[in-house]
Amino acid sequence: QVPLQESGPGLVKPSQTLSLTCTVSGGSISSGGYFWSWIRQPAGKGLEWIGRIYTSGSTTYNPSLKSRVTMSVDMSKSQFSLKLSSVTAADTAVYYCAREGWLSYYFDYWGQGTLVTVSS
Amino acid sequence: QSVLTQPPSVSAAPGQKVTISCSGSSSNIGNNYVSWYQQLPGTAPKLLIYDNNKRPSGILDRFSGSKSGTSATLGITGLQTADEADYYCGTWDTRLSTVVFGGGTNLTVL
């Protein structure tokens, strides 16, 4: 088991920056061989991959969000983070962090998800 | 509009078998591994199948995956009411340079 837990504000104002952190229990983030990803799901809709980060700090972002996304990793805290700037109501969704298999594009461990609402 | 196409819903009786299709193209399913997820209401997705047809530890052999050309299929045998959920396929799209998912299929066990 690789427990993951998202944390961050549940309410963000339009035009501001959404910031979330995912804590990976047990120090698994440092073991290597996996990517660490963010995925979101608007209410009643499907899954959208936001991007991934490796422990080296190397990132890959969804081109549709790339201009607004920044991911980082803090190995000392076994955490990785997401920042999404200039948010609008369309960014309202449940945000999941997940572990992604190396070059196989599957997500084997997920956080429980956190709802982020963009509203004034 | 999802890059991968799934039927919005499928249904079958308890104990029966159901298949869920996922159609794509050469830039995604045709040249990359496919994974499948089960999402029960109000919960995070759960990995059922990876690398087209492999089951993670703990996933029963009632669940199976296959791929042919630019399409993939999830099969579920011995249906139970507990299998009622949304099912998603996913893969990498080489042309779009992103992970893509199907729109999801809602399974009803009548």
Side-chain angles (χ1 to χ4, degrees):
Chain A
Q1 286 292 327
V2 182
L4 294 90
Q5 178 70 57
E6 306 88 352
S7 59
L11 180 64
V12 182
K13 289 182 167 53
S15 80
Q16 293 191 344
T17 296
L18 176 161
S19 295
L20 296 174
T21 296
C22 182
T23 301
V24 183
S25 300
S28 303
I29 198 170
S30 60
S31 62
Y34 295 95
F35 293 109
W36 302 93
S37 284
W38 289 96
I39 296 161
R40 69 181 183 179
Q41 184 175 35
K45 297 188 178 181
L47 303 167
E48 180 180 32
W49 182 73
I50 301 170
R52 67 165 73 97
I53 189 166
Y54 189 58
T55 50
S56 64
S58 174
T59 56
T60 305
Y61 301 142
N62 185 327
S64 70
L65 298 168
K66 186 175 183 178
S67 64
R68 299 194 292 131
V69 173
T70 303
M71 293 184 184
S72 60
V73 62
D74 186 335
M75 301 282 286
S76 67
K77 296 182 179 179
S78 201
Q79 295 177 335
F80 62 105
S81 299
L82 166 70
K83 290 188 186 297
L84 181 65
S85 65
S86 305
V87 297
T88 69
D91 295 309
T92 295
V94 174
Y95 285 75
Y96 297 101
C97 59
R99 189 178 82 167
E100 181 180 346
W102 184 262
L103 297 181
S104 287
Y105 318 112
Y106 64 85
F107 304 93
D108 56 355
Y109 290 100
W110 298 63
Q112 65 184 25
T114 187
L115 173 62
V116 178
T117 302
V118 178
S119 175
S120 56
Chain B
Q1 189 92 6
S2 301
V3 173
L4 304 180
T5 301
Q6 297 181 233
S9 63
V10 296
S11 62
Q16 297 300 304
K17 175 182 178 177
V18 71
T19 60
I20 298 173
S21 61
C22 178
S23 178
S25 68
S26 59
S27 67
N28 42 66
I29 292 178
N31 284 283
N32 293 294
Y33 287 120
V34 177
S35 54
W36 288 92
Y37 305 86
Q38 176 193 62
Q39 187 175 33
L40 299 170
T43 69
K46 175 183 179 181
L47 179 66
L48 292 178
I49 299 290
Y50 69 100
D51 290 359
N52 302 331
N53 54 19
K54 298 177 182 176
R55 281 178 286 106
S57 174
I59 299 301
L60 299 176
D61 59 4
R62 295 194 300 111
F63 297 92
S64 63
S66 64
K67 188 181 96 168
S68 178
T70 59
S71 293
T73 301
L74 173 70
I76 310 173
T77 60
L79 279 172
Q80 304 171 3
T81 55
D83 296 328
E84 290 197 327
D86 292 325
Y87 292 83
Y88 293 91
C89 57
T91 187
W92 178 259
D93 191 296
T94 307
R95 180 177 62 86
L96 298 175
S97 296
T98 186
V99 173
V100 291
F101 293 99
T105 299
N106 181 258
L107 168 64
T108 300
V109 181
L110 301 169

